[in-house]
Amino acid sequence: MPRFKQIPQIQALMDKKECIRNIGIIAHIDHGKTTLADCLLAGAGLLSPRMAGTARVLDYLEEEQKRKITIKTANIALLYNNQAESYLINLVDTPGHVDFTGKTTRALRVIDGAVVVVDAVEGIMAQTEILTRQALEERVCPVLFINKIDRLITELQLDEEAIQKKLKHIITSFNDLIEIYAEPTYKDPWKINANAGNVAFGAALYGWGFTIEMAKQRALKFSDIIAACKSGASIKLAEALPVYEAVFEMVTRRVSNPRKAQGYRIQKIWGGNLNSPIGKNLRECHDEPPIVMAVTNVYSDGKNGTLATGRVFSGKIRKGSRLHLVGTMGETEVQTVYVDMGALREEVGEALAGNLVTLSLSGKVEAGETLWDSTCQDGMVPFECINYISEPVVTLVVEPKNPQDIETFQGGLERLVSEDPNLKFLVDKETGEYLLSGMGELHFEVAINELRKVLGIDVVVSPPRVVYWEYAQKSGVVALALSADKQSNVRVQVEPNLKQDIDSEEKEQILANDDYNNSLIDVEGKAQQLSKEMLDAIKAGFRFACAAGPLCGEPIHQLRVGLIDCEIAPNTTVSEIEHTVSKAVFGSFLTANPSLQEPIYKIILSVAADLAGDISRILNSRRGKVTQFEQKGPQTQITGYIPVAETFGLSKELRSTTSGKAVWQSIFDHWEKLPPKLAQEIINEIRKRKGLPKDVAKPERFMEV
């Protein structure tokens, strides 16, 4: 017996693609995403209207309830019945905090429409712009909900003309984003227009909202809504103009159904042959084989093994379906098929193309995996890699308090990373330390709490450290390195890897790439003469060198390593070649005027005007730069940049200076060259911490001169 009475109707609609809408809610933090989600649940009969706005149903994790922010994406299937048709709305509620933006980015892969929520007072914020850009890059159609309009009326006391002007400005600013980031084909069709029905207005906290068409149908003018707000008649307003109706009508009319959406989205998110049988299946969202599913989230569950959430783009998945993993070349079997209902799941018989589902699977599966079945005769190409807008720029040393727990601890770290691709875990080859890299302090707090909770062991955590990048400022010399027995040699030359686009001729010369935008290039065609074993050894040596550079063991970034020549004696081992290549890379790199780059946050703060000067002084004292002051109602919005290394303790200082009245958000923006003196200080500090010799080695240590 299903726990939700709508499940039989939902199952019936899973086969009607024209009646399915896959949508997500995205927004800047605290603009009202989860409150709006509550209202939509109430509209679908899953929540009492009196609880909407306060229940935070989709924030069901203990950490989310405690912190009152969304940390993970939550899926729920909603049944919406209007007078003409019934619809299955697959809704994804996403985080607004920048530390968890990666989860939002993954959610965009499986939805076709994004409800962008904007605070009427604050307007388009930095995170709004970032997430809207990401949605457009995934060919996800945006619709706009301007929330908290009651604040314009009751707090700012604006008259009707001023409110209209404010709303028009938000719409214009949003259309500017579409003009900048959307592809030419979609700029005009996806732009927002109140009369076109792709923008709604309202106050989700009080349950009311409307589109222009809704207001006309009910013979309500904007002056009537202002009067109702001023008189405290929010309940009557919610009865006349329920916000869920405004949003549901907007998405059912303006967001494409899965079949239509896949017709234009597959070309963008899948790199295979669109004219092949599988390409046609994907474009037309067919239920016929082969099965193709994109996995966005993975959870380990004690009773059910691995739970993988994602979208079925082709085929029909049932219990017992055997699927291949494109990324790891493994196999898995479907044990159960579920429809997500927030914190709960309902088992269903099958999942057809165009639906969002969760599968209970045998074996390990990682987020971002592509699943397919053996009926695909022409081979399967995975979905395009997801481009995350932020990078792990802060690192912690973590270890179990009790050394006997090391095996359990390692398994827990591997599980964390498989569930959250924005966490990186490695063992420092110099110190043996377990390093966990993430987005920021909150990201770490949540991850470490989860680790302790799941493993049931005590974990020791170091203070946070910043990730630095070693990089070359010019071309290095051609470096010759000899193997230990002097019988083999390798010549390489490094230079900054500044090219954004690589033409097809050079692309054929690329032997290897890594995660730090480093490339190994076969300059003279020597690699063609090597055995596969020795070529793999050269690639391994290149990656080993770039993973921890000679300045202080930090990753090398944006380096082009040209393989000039190699002479390999018959008795030279693979490990000797790896070591020889690494030496040659280090030797040339140390002649390329190497230095360090540090990560830089973009920071946006909102504070009372009389405190703006204090905020500016704090940023300046931490090597920050203020780039813009903007008045937004009674608040001043300050935009600037600050090195990540200078943000530790910043929260405490800001709260102390402003008596807790400042609101801010920092977003990773770019990498920047460190001043030479500071770079040397940091190199010395890192070398000391890692137990490396005091001085950086000379190039001659690694190459023949």
Side-chain angles (χ1 to χ4, degrees):
M1 176 72 68
R3 286 163 290 188
F4 297 88
K5 63 182 181 181
Q6 299 96 333
I7 291 299
Q9 290 174 275
I10 287 173
Q11 284 184 273
L13 288 169
M14 291 175 74
D15 193 26
K16 297 181 178 180
K17 299 190 190 343
E18 68 277 6
C19 296
I20 299 173
R21 298 294 184 273
N22 296 318
I23 66 166
I25 306 178
I26 62 176
H28 190 84
I29 190 169
D30 289 334
H31 277 206
K33 296 181 313 321
T34 304
T35 302
L36 178 61
D38 272 2
C39 294
L40 300 185
L41 267 64
L46 299 179
L47 180 66
S48 165
R50 288 177 297 177
M51 296 294 293
T54 58
R56 302 180 67 90
V57 172
L58 297 183
D59 283 353
Y60 51 79
L61 296 182
E62 182 181 340
E63 287 282 343
E64 293 177 310
Q65 294 285 340
K66 182 173 68 176
R67 299 175 186 274
K68 297 189 183 302
I69 62 170
T70 304
I71 289 173
K72 48 89 189 79
T73 55
N75 295 16
I76 191 164
L78 302 177
L79 182 66
Y80 172 59
N81 298 305
N82 67 13
Q83 295 177 352
E85 189 67 83
S86 295
Y87 291 91
L88 168 57
I89 311 289
N90 290 314
L91 172 68
V92 184
D93 185 35
T94 67
H97 194 286
V98 66
D99 279 11
F100 308 104
T101 299
K103 299 177 188 293
T104 304
T105 306
R106 292 203 302 279
L108 291 169
R109 174 56 51 90
V110 297
I111 61 176
D112 302 318
V115 180
V116 184
V117 182
V118 173
D119 185 313
V121 175
E122 295 189 351
I124 305 294
M125 300 291 283
Q127 189 75 338
T128 317
E129 178 175 351
I130 288 169
L131 295 176
T132 301
R133 181 185 73 198
Q134 287 273 293
L136 293 169
E137 288 177 355
E138 290 277 331
R139 286 191 187 165
V140 171
C141 174
V143 294
L144 182 64
F145 175 61
I146 303 179
N147 193 24
K148 304 186 184 183
I149 287 186
D150 57 298
R151 293 184 63 196
L152 300 178
I153 301 166
T154 58
E155 288 183 26
L156 300 188
Q157 299 285 317
L158 299 182
D159 59 24
E160 183 176 352
E161 183 180 350
I163 293 172
Q164 298 275 18
K165 184 178 179 181
K166 176 73 172 176
L167 298 179
K168 184 178 179 181
H169 175 72
I170 292 173
I171 291 172
T172 300
S173 299
F174 192 75
N175 281 335
D176 288 343
L177 298 182
I178 295 174
E179 180 64 32
I180 294 169
Y181 298 119
E183 297 164 89
T185 304
Y186 306 101
K187 288 183 189 293
D188 290 336
W190 285 357
K191 282 187 178 174
I192 302 302
N193 186 319
N195 293 318
N198 53 6
V199 57
F201 313 88
L205 184 62
Y206 299 106
W208 62 266
F210 62 94
T211 62
I212 295 297
E213 184 177 349
M214 275 180 65
K216 287 179 178 178
Q217 288 174 349
R218 290 155 175 78
L220 287 172
K221 299 178 181 178
F222 203 78
S223 56
D224 299 326
I225 294 167
I226 293 174
C229 279
K230 287 184 174 179
S231 65
S234 294
I235 294 177
K236 290 184 178 180
L237 203 53
E239 291 172 352
L241 299 170
V243 67
Y244 71 82
E245 183 181 334
V247 174
F248 281 149
E249 285 296 305
M250 185 166 60
V251 299
T252 54
R253 295 182 184 186
R254 294 307 304 255
V255 174
S256 298
N257 65 58
R259 178 170 284 132
K260 183 177 179 182
Q262 287 185 207
Y264 57 80
R265 290 196 66 217
I266 290 298
Q267 181 186 14
K268 184 73 172 181
I269 64 177
W270 185 70
N273 181 359
L274 296 174
N275 296 317
S276 67
I278 188 171
K280 183 178 179 181
N281 241 38
L282 288 169
R283 284 187 290 113
E284 297 180 1
C285 194
H286 272 313
D287 297 333
E288 299 302 316
I291 295 169
V292 180
M293 178 174 171
V295 176
T296 54
N297 291 310
V298 172
Y299 311 93
S300 297
D301 186 275
K303 291 189 292 185
N304 300 312
T306 300
L307 295 172
T309 299
R311 174 169 174 163
V312 184
F313 280 90
S314 169
K316 184 184 299 185
I317 297 179
R318 294 189 176 101
K319 181 177 181 179
S321 296
R322 292 203 62 81
L323 303 174
H324 299 282
L325 284 64
V326 176
T328 60
M329 305 298 288
E331 287 195 0
T332 185
E333 182 174 330
V334 178
Q335 298 170 337
T336 316
V337 181
Y338 296 106
V339 168
D340 285 289
M341 300 300 292
L344 304 174
R345 291 179 293 275
E346 289 283 2
E347 184 175 348
V348 293
E350 60 186 14
L352 293 82
N355 285 282
L356 307 189
V357 294
T358 290
L359 306 180
S360 173
L361 299 171
S362 62
K364 290 185 177 181
V365 178
E366 294 188 357
E369 183 62 88
T370 301
L371 305 178
W372 62 288
D373 71 353
S374 57
T375 60
C376 180
Q377 299 299 318
D378 53 352
M380 178 59 195
V381 174
F383 284 94
E384 294 289 339
C385 291
I386 292 174
N387 295 316
Y388 295 105
I389 60 175
S390 194
E391 302 178 29
V393 291
V394 183
T395 295
L396 298 176
V397 177
V398 291
E399 61 183 0
K401 189 171 184 179
N402 187 343
Q404 293 179 338
D405 294 326
I406 192 67
E407 190 173 331
T408 304
F409 170 75
Q410 286 179 319
L413 278 181
E414 290 170 0
R415 170 182 164 178
L416 270 183
V417 172
S418 71
E419 294 180 1
D420 184 353
N422 294 125
L423 286 171
K424 302 295 181 186
F425 155 59
L426 59 86
V427 180
D428 191 301
K429 65 184 181 185
E430 301 289 346
T431 65
E433 295 174 323
Y434 291 90
L435 304 179
L436 186 66
S437 298
M439 302 298 180
E441 293 178 274
L442 182 58
H443 193 202
F444 281 129
E445 280 185 44
V446 171
I448 298 300
N449 286 346
E450 179 70 9
L451 192 64
R452 287 170 172 152
K453 178 182 175 182
V454 171
L455 299 182
I457 63 175
D458 198 0
V459 178
V460 179
V461 181
S462 75
R465 304 171 181 170
V466 174
V467 176
Y468 293 93
W469 276 350
E470 300 186 20
Y471 78 110
Q473 299 187 76
K474 66 173 187 177
S475 297
V477 302
V478 175
L480 168 66
L482 301 180
S483 60
D485 61 6
K486 310 294 185 185
Q487 299 301 304
S488 300
N489 65 76
V490 174
R491 282 184 169 86
V492 305
Q493 182 177 26
V494 308
E495 62 180 332
N497 192 12
L498 302 178
K499 296 183 180 180
Q500 298 298 317
D501 298 304
I502 301 171
D503 59 40
S504 57
E505 182 179 352
E506 186 176 5
K507 204 165 188 176
E508 295 175 357
Q509 300 174 350
I510 296 178
L511 299 178
N513 293 306
D514 68 4
D515 293 337
Y516 301 103
N517 199 23
N518 300 308
S519 300
L520 176 64
I521 310 296
D522 185 11
V523 178
E524 301 292 339
K526 297 292 183 179
Q528 300 173 19
Q529 306 168 15
L530 301 173
S531 67
K532 182 179 184 302
E533 184 181 42
M534 286 303 163
L535 182 57
D536 288 344
I538 288 174
K539 294 177 184 179
F542 152 75
R543 291 194 175 103
F544 183 85
C546 293
L551 290 184
C552 53
E554 294 292 276
I556 296 176
H557 175 62
Q558 274 193 320
L559 193 69
R560 184 181 186 274
V561 179
L563 177 63
I564 308 297
D565 196 8
C566 55
E567 297 179 3
I568 301 176
N571 59 343
T572 305
T573 65
V574 167
S575 60
E576 283 183 291
I577 291 301
E578 290 181 12
H579 185 58
T580 305
V581 171
S582 294
K583 288 199 304 178
V585 173
F586 277 7
S588 184
F589 180 76
L590 286 169
T591 68
N593 191 18
S595 188
L596 291 185
Q597 288 182 322
E598 64 174 339
I600 305 293
Y601 279 150
K602 182 177 184 179
I603 186 167
I604 302 99
L605 307 98
S606 293
V607 70
D610 60 330
L611 294 172
D614 293 330
I615 297 295
S616 182
R617 282 191 291 275
I618 290 172
L619 293 181
N620 289 335
S621 70
R622 291 172 174 262
R623 295 196 290 124
K625 296 180 290 186
V626 174
T627 58
Q628 185 179 20
F629 289 92
E630 185 178 359
Q631 201 65 31
K632 294 204 169 187
Q635 299 289 99
T636 297
Q637 179 177 299
I638 302 169
T639 303
Y641 296 91
I642 185 170
V644 174
E646 300 291 344
T647 60
F648 302 132
L650 177 63
S651 298
K652 184 177 180 181
E653 185 175 6
L654 289 173
R655 288 192 186 100
S656 174
T657 301
T658 65
S659 301
K661 295 177 181 178
V663 177
W664 67 93
Q665 186 173 37
S666 50
I667 305 164
F668 170 76
D669 192 78
H670 64 280
W671 293 84
E672 196 170 282
K673 175 185 174 182
L674 276 165
K677 184 177 180 181
L678 182 57
Q680 190 57 55
E681 290 175 4
I682 291 173
I683 289 169
N684 294 341
E685 177 187 314
I686 294 175
R687 292 186 70 86
K688 181 178 179 181
R689 187 185 76 224
K690 293 185 176 182
L692 300 173
K694 181 180 178 182
D695 296 323
V696 176
K698 301 295 184 184
E700 294 77 19
R701 176 183 168 187
F702 302 105
M703 64 183 190
E704 301 299 312
V705 291

